[in-house]
Amino acid sequence: MPPPGSAANITAIVLAGGRSSRMGAPKALLLFDGEPLIVHMVATLQRMFAEVVVVTAPGQDLPSMPVKLVRDEVPYQGPVGGICYGLTAACGDAGFVTSCDSAFLNTDLISHLVAQIPEHDVVVPHWQGRFQPLQAVYRRGVLPLLGEQLARGELRPIQLFDKVRTRRIDEDEIRRFDPEGASFFNMNTPEDYAEALARWNRVNRRALPPNGSMA
């Protein structure tokens, strides 16, 4: 049996049901490294987690993937709604929650976040003066409080943090794993998408051997 707090008994939850209004196209389906962005993200998460839950809007089309697909009962309730539906569907004791446009997931940072959850209810990074609630770990035990937030129309996860045992991960701690904070780069506009592709290409060029061959 895996120890409490290990990735083996934590579910990865990807929120993919947003409107993508500023992007002008469904972000989950944007091509990234030759495949839909959601496929790219799920593949990364499956290297760490035995279960991946993808939360989508009703009627949203996604590629076929080996994930547990969950539809929002009420669409467009913001991140709190997505976290609620994802945690409810999760088999794990907790969920690492991310959004479908976080292309630069850092597995070392995620492992560090997951390692903190046994003594806390939420583990959340704080980067450049802001909490990052969609790169965070939540225990299933916070579900009643999140449900109360939904009932009151409070759709921001940060409204939960002062009500539970929250472990804030500050910048100096984050930089040990992700020096540039690439984990928190989101694609909200076509310009962001172009920048993400450029970043990905730069990283891959650096990773190639000197002759440019992958062999």
Side-chain angles (χ1 to χ4, degrees):
M1 179 178 296
S6 73
N9 65 331
I10 294 180
T11 297
I13 299 169
V14 184
L15 307 188
R19 295 179 186 273
S20 301
S21 53
R22 284 187 286 167
M23 183 64 71
K27 288 192 281 188
L29 300 181
L30 295 173
L31 283 181
F32 197 87
D33 196 27
E35 59 190 358
L37 180 56
I38 187 70
V39 173
H40 167 81
M41 291 195 59
V42 165
T44 299
L45 291 167
Q46 284 181 324
R47 295 198 290 269
M48 298 186 67
F49 299 93
E51 179 182 58
V52 178
V53 170
V54 175
V55 184
T56 73
Q60 182 178 1
D61 290 326
L62 289 177
S64 177
M65 297 174 288
V67 300
K68 183 183 289 186
L69 200 62
V70 178
R71 303 284 182 183
D72 287 338
E73 295 173 18
V74 179
Y76 310 127
Q77 287 185 299
V80 168
I83 295 168
C84 274
Y85 299 130
L87 284 176
T88 299
C91 294
D93 298 334
F96 168 73
V97 176
T98 188
S99 59
C100 71
D101 60 339
S102 298
F104 300 97
L105 294 172
N106 184 299
T107 55
D108 290 334
L109 177 59
I110 295 170
S111 294
H112 181 66
L113 300 178
V114 164
Q116 313 305 309
I117 199 64
E119 304 300 324
H120 302 90
D121 299 307
V122 175
V123 179
V124 57
H126 191 263
W127 180 260
Q128 295 186 341
R130 299 180 61 184
F131 282 111
Q132 303 293 329
L134 298 187
Q135 286 287 322
V137 187
Y138 299 81
R139 278 194 176 279
R140 294 186 81 250
V142 305
L143 272 169
L145 290 173
L146 290 175
E148 291 170 10
Q149 281 191 214
L150 278 183
R152 294 191 297 267
E154 298 173 357
L155 305 183
R156 301 173 64 212
I158 63 171
Q159 292 167 296
L160 168 72
F161 297 162
D162 63 356
K163 300 181 179 72
V164 299
R165 300 174 302 164
T166 296
R167 167 78 154 87
R168 169 173 151 166
I169 308 294
D170 286 317
E171 279 198 37
D172 56 346
E173 198 170 347
I174 293 167
R175 288 183 189 278
R176 287 162 41 197
F177 308 97
D178 186 358
E180 298 179 1
S183 299
F184 313 117
F185 183 89
N186 299 114
M187 291 179 253
N188 295 312
T189 66
E191 292 75 20
D192 294 337
Y193 176 41
E195 171 60 19
L197 292 175
R199 285 190 182 203
W200 183 259
N201 289 335
R202 287 197 299 270
V203 169
N204 281 328
R205 280 200 299 270
R206 288 199 299 267
L208 285 172
N211 66 1
S213 169
M214 295 298 292

